[in-house]
Amino acid sequence: MDTRRPTIADVAKRAGVSKGLVSFVFNDKPGVAAPTRVRILAAAEELGWQPDPVARSLSTQRAAALGLVVRRDPTVLAADPFFPAFMAGVETALTERRQVLVLSLVPDAAAETATYRSLAAHRRVDGVLLTDLRHDDDRFPLLAELGLPAVCVGRPDVAGAFPVVNLDDAAGLRSAVDHLVGLGHRRIAYVGGDVGMLHGRRRRKSFLEALARHGLDPVGVVDTDFSAAAGARAVVELLAGAVLPTALVFASDPMAVAGLAVLQRQGVQVPRDCSVTGFDGMDLGRHLHPALTTVEADPLAWGRAAATVLLRLLDDGRADDLELPSAALVLRSSTAPPPDPPG
Amino acid sequence: MDTRRPTIADVAKRAGVSKGLVSFVFNDKPGVAAPTRVRILAAAEELGWQPDPVARSLSTQRAAALGLVVRRDPTVLAADPFFPAFMAGVETALTERRQVLVLSLVPDAAAETATYRSLAAHRRVDGVLLTDLRHDDDRFPLLAELGLPAVCVGRPDVAGAFPVVNLDDAAGLRSAVDHLVGLGHRRIAYVGGDVGMLHGRRRRKSFLEALARHGLDPVGVVDTDFSAAAGARAVVELLAGAVLPTALVFASDPMAVAGLAVLQRQGVQVPRDCSVTGFDGMDLGRHLHPALTTVEADPLAWGRAAATVLLRLLDDGRADDLELPSAALVLRSSTAPPPDPPG
DNA sequence: CTGAAAGCGCTTACAG
DNA sequence: CTGAAAGCGCTTACAG
């Protein structure tokens, strides 16, 4: 019994054709007579043969792999519900296409750059998914230099060399503000994320704009690094301010959870004395006391879409931008009318 | 200007040697004269050449990639602090070795099997990291059939074909129980995880043994699937029982958080009326009110160790098991003496 | 200690 | 519509 795995030559011999023909069939090239095609497919099937991606890579110069380089502190990453779902979505798109996801978790900017360089130099991936887009993002010039195709997960702030798969945060934040104002809140504060990241920056802007549309100014705005610790500190700071907010809008769920704890610790009851909204739809939020009102997106769909668009870019040399359904407010029990409604 | 990337032939020509010699130098084979070696290295350096992993793979039949297939619901995965840190640890071990991590997130058993088969059939990875070990784990026969090397992250329940990198949970659980008993608790209940998973099963056993050493029986034991929702349900169930626990030991932090909320919702104050301990060291736990007493391991070190051992196995054909420092109890504020100490 | 050559398993012009 | 051959960029016996 031959334990050696079959090669294209075995299939060719069995089908009574040349290797080239077999290759043509498996690459959907035109010009193979239907009966021949059937014979070849049957031979491959019988032998259990599939093209070897490594050999194919050497010929085609394509890796059949997509890269995702995540530069985040593992602790912050662990608290974030986005990535696992996003990756699962990427996965669903890749599997059908016999592609693979190469993941790299890096601690800092230097490691990030080194990783992209290494991925490109060794052609380990054909393209990359760009998440956590930053203001003046140095990955754009880097990828241009490396000639590595990419898609932007979220809208970049520069005219793009790369296709964009966007999911609008603003609408969700607007609903959160509208909801609070509708409840009667006038003294609303915001605990934002990392403004070096575009989504952090945009959520902040969306909050301020939404508030302004009601003719309101924020009672306080604190920028953070998205960590729970920073969220907690921000609340301490806001509570020490001159005018106490009756509602707190957070740019992420982990911060909202930590903020909630600070409020409770200081004897502020949520939502009776102060309302709280989060952002991200962390599963744990629904199991808190009180359950967290938050803004939820669909990161799984986002991941699938981003991978699909990147694959399209690689195949066709171009791909259209894609706009996904917006993030939406999920009402739970951390919001209520303010303690002393005006009027 | 030549934009074509250099190949081994270019390096050989520049150094005035054959391609074989260059290859020997870059694969640390003996038998290259020192001066020649230096000349070759210099030529490669000047040209900025490094061996192309794809071409190398085709010759060596090694992928220079390790696989991690995670079969978990994205929601449960998102709540778990283990994986991001574990992967970051894997990363640190791989980078130095010019290896890459191929990650696959799969929803169910069928997809899991298909993924391992595909990874093996296409030689996309040289070996895999086995996490979330299960009782009677079907991955062992599968990997044996596929001839895919692996290392076990945690101790399997069968005599192993694969090296084991273990981190003992039992000690941490024991400290949690000892701590509670030392505080005066006698009515302790346990909210466990998925007993289909070995760590779920072992934590349960460790809890029961630790309790038995104090001559105590649990007031209740509930198995779950490790999800926050199940943790919440378990607490509802325990609170409806005949004898109320004064302390709850949870097999994971997300369950502990959800359980905490249920207690609070039912007017049970933590830790005054009931103490709570978690498991895993989720960062958010430290920012809760009350901050969660938990059992913490070092998943980053675990990831690095597991990858290192797998690489050793691939290089040498064998590798010794490795035992890491045990998980340890981290005291915070969710534990206190029981409301009515006996005696 | 070194060189020339075959081979890894594909793809893709090129010729017929 | 089909075949023979070169080439992708390495590694590794084999011969000297």
Side-chain angles (χ1 to χ4, degrees):
Chain A
M1 184 190 143
D2 192 359
T3 167
R4 183 179 126 282
R5 49 201 314 155
T7 73
I8 194 172
D10 300 317
V11 176
K13 195 198 294 175
R14 184 173 194 114
V17 300
S18 70
K19 293 193 299 174
L21 256 275
V22 178
S23 176
F24 270 40
V25 169
F26 275 81
N27 289 289
D28 291 319
K29 304 259 181 186
V32 183
T36 313
R37 187 187 151 75
V38 168
R39 217 164 64 238
I40 290 173
L41 256 11
E45 172 79 44
E46 287 158 24
L47 259 26
W49 177 84
Q50 290 182 175
D52 177 333
V54 172
R56 178 178 253 173
S57 283
L58 189 58
S59 286
T60 61
Q61 309 284 33
R62 277 190 53 168
L66 263 35
L68 177 62
V69 180
V70 180
R71 165 179 146 195
R72 288 226 192 170
D73 181 275
T75 299
V76 176
L77 185 61
D80 190 321
F82 174 80
F83 278 97
F86 180 80
M87 289 178 206
V90 169
E91 207 61 40
T92 64
L94 294 191
T95 305
E96 313 157 357
R97 299 282 309 271
R98 297 174 181 283
Q99 307 271 318
V100 123
L101 175 69
V102 169
L103 174 74
S104 199
L105 264 33
V106 298
D108 52 40
E112 184 186 56
T113 301
T115 298
Y116 280 112
R117 287 194 179 283
S118 163
L119 252 22
H122 301 142
R123 288 211 210 70
R124 299 300 295 244
V125 299
D126 299 313
V128 292
L129 266 5
L130 253 27
T131 56
D132 285 347
L133 259 28
R134 302 184 291 261
H135 175 60
D136 199 16
D137 203 316
D138 51 339
R139 287 174 293 180
F140 291 121
L142 176 63
L143 294 177
E145 177 200 335
L146 298 173
L148 202 54
V151 344
C152 295
V153 178
R155 195 168 306 287
D157 58 355
V158 290
F162 302 124
V164 174
V165 177
N166 193 50
L167 191 156
D168 180 35
D169 277 354
L173 224 22
R174 213 176 304 130
S175 339
V177 168
D178 291 350
H179 167 63
L180 291 170
V181 173
L183 246 22
H185 291 274
R186 296 296 175 266
R187 304 203 309 268
I188 306 178
Y190 180 70
V191 179
D194 183 344
V195 292
M197 290 184 175
L198 293 186
H199 63 289
R201 175 174 300 229
R202 286 212 186 95
R203 286 179 196 175
R204 183 194 214 275
K205 182 156 167 277
S206 302
F207 167 79
L208 291 174
E209 285 174 358
L211 211 55
R213 295 212 315 209
H214 293 284
L216 259 26
D217 279 326
V219 151
V221 170
V222 184
D223 297 321
T224 74
D225 61 3
F226 273 125
S227 73
R233 280 194 302 272
V235 173
V236 170
E237 186 180 320
L238 288 170
L239 290 184
V243 28
L244 253 48
T246 62
L248 257 27
V249 172
F250 288 84
S252 86
D253 275 6
M255 292 199 299
V257 174
L260 209 58
V262 171
L263 292 171
Q264 292 173 156
R265 198 166 289 136
Q266 306 215 359
V268 179
Q269 283 206 37
V270 179
R272 199 197 63 186
D273 304 328
C274 185
S275 287
V276 165
T277 69
F279 206 106
D280 272 347
M282 180 170 77
D283 177 61
L284 209 47
R286 114 183 37 235
H287 299 291
L288 256 28
H289 178 66
L292 189 64
T293 290
T294 191
V295 174
E296 223 171 52
D298 186 349
L300 199 137
W302 206 351
R304 176 169 35 223
T308 303
V309 169
L310 181 49
L311 254 17
R312 188 171 304 144
L313 173 66
L314 295 172
D315 283 344
D316 305 343
R318 65 171 304 286
D320 288 329
D321 291 358
L322 191 61
E323 187 68 36
L324 268 37
S326 299
L329 186 68
V330 178
L331 254 32
R332 292 203 278 250
S333 24
S334 63
T335 49
D340 42 11
Chain B
M1 183 191 145
D2 194 358
T3 167
R4 183 178 126 282
R5 49 204 309 156
T7 73
I8 193 172
D10 301 317
V11 176
K13 194 198 294 177
R14 183 173 196 114
V17 299
S18 70
K19 295 192 300 174
L21 256 275
V22 178
S23 177
F24 271 41
V25 168
F26 274 80
N27 289 288
D28 291 318
K29 305 258 179 187
V32 183
T36 312
R37 188 188 151 74
V38 168
R39 216 164 66 238
I40 290 173
L41 256 12
E45 173 79 42
E46 287 157 25
L47 259 25
W49 177 83
Q50 290 183 177
D52 176 334
V54 172
R56 180 179 251 172
S57 283
L58 189 57
S59 286
T60 60
Q61 307 286 34
R62 277 190 54 167
L66 263 34
L68 176 61
V69 181
V70 180
R71 166 179 146 196
R72 287 225 192 171
D73 181 275
T75 299
V76 176
L77 185 61
D80 189 322
F82 174 80
F83 278 98
F86 180 80
M87 289 178 206
V90 168
E91 208 60 40
T92 64
L94 294 191
T95 305
E96 312 156 358
R97 300 282 309 270
R98 298 174 181 281
Q99 308 270 319
V100 122
L101 175 68
V102 169
L103 173 73
S104 200
L105 264 33
V106 297
D108 53 40
E112 183 187 55
T113 301
T115 298
Y116 281 113
R117 286 195 181 281
S118 162
L119 253 22
H122 301 143
R123 288 209 209 70
R124 299 300 295 244
V125 299
D126 299 313
V128 292
L129 265 6
L130 254 27
T131 55
D132 285 347
L133 258 30
R134 302 184 292 260
H135 175 60
D136 198 18
D137 203 317
D138 50 339
R139 288 174 292 181
F140 292 121
L142 175 64
L143 295 176
E145 176 200 334
L146 297 174
L148 202 54
V151 345
C152 294
V153 178
R155 195 168 305 288
D157 59 354
V158 290
F162 301 123
V164 175
V165 177
N166 194 50
L167 190 156
D168 181 35
D169 278 354
L173 225 22
R174 212 178 303 128
S175 338
V177 169
D178 290 352
H179 166 62
L180 291 170
V181 172
L183 246 21
H185 292 273
R186 296 297 175 265
R187 304 203 309 266
I188 306 179
Y190 180 70
V191 178
D194 183 344
V195 292
M197 291 184 176
L198 292 185
H199 63 288
R201 176 174 300 230
R202 286 215 186 92
R203 287 178 194 174
R204 183 193 214 276
K205 183 157 166 276
S206 302
F207 166 79
L208 291 173
E209 285 175 359
L211 211 55
R213 295 211 316 210
H214 293 285
L216 258 28
D217 279 327
V219 150
V221 170
V222 183
D223 297 321
T224 75
D225 60 2
F226 274 125
S227 72
R233 280 194 302 272
V235 173
V236 170
E237 185 181 322
L238 288 170
L239 290 183
V243 26
L244 253 48
T246 62
L248 257 28
V249 172
F250 288 84
S252 85
D253 274 5
M255 293 199 298
V257 174
L260 208 58
V262 171
L263 292 171
Q264 291 173 157
R265 198 166 290 139
Q266 305 215 358
V268 179
Q269 284 206 35
V270 178
R272 198 196 63 187
D273 305 329
C274 185
S275 287
V276 165
T277 68
F279 206 106
D280 272 346
M282 180 170 76
D283 176 61
L284 209 46
R286 111 182 39 233
H287 299 291
L288 256 29
H289 178 66
L292 189 63
T293 290
T294 191
V295 175
E296 223 171 52
D298 186 348
L300 200 136
W302 206 351
R304 176 167 36 221
T308 303
V309 170
L310 181 49
L311 255 16
R312 189 172 304 144
L313 172 66
L314 294 172
D315 283 345
D316 305 342
R318 64 171 305 284
D320 287 329
D321 291 357
L322 190 61
E323 187 70 33
L324 299 169
S326 298
L329 186 67
V330 178
L331 255 31
R332 292 204 277 248
S333 24
S334 63
T335 49
D340 44 8

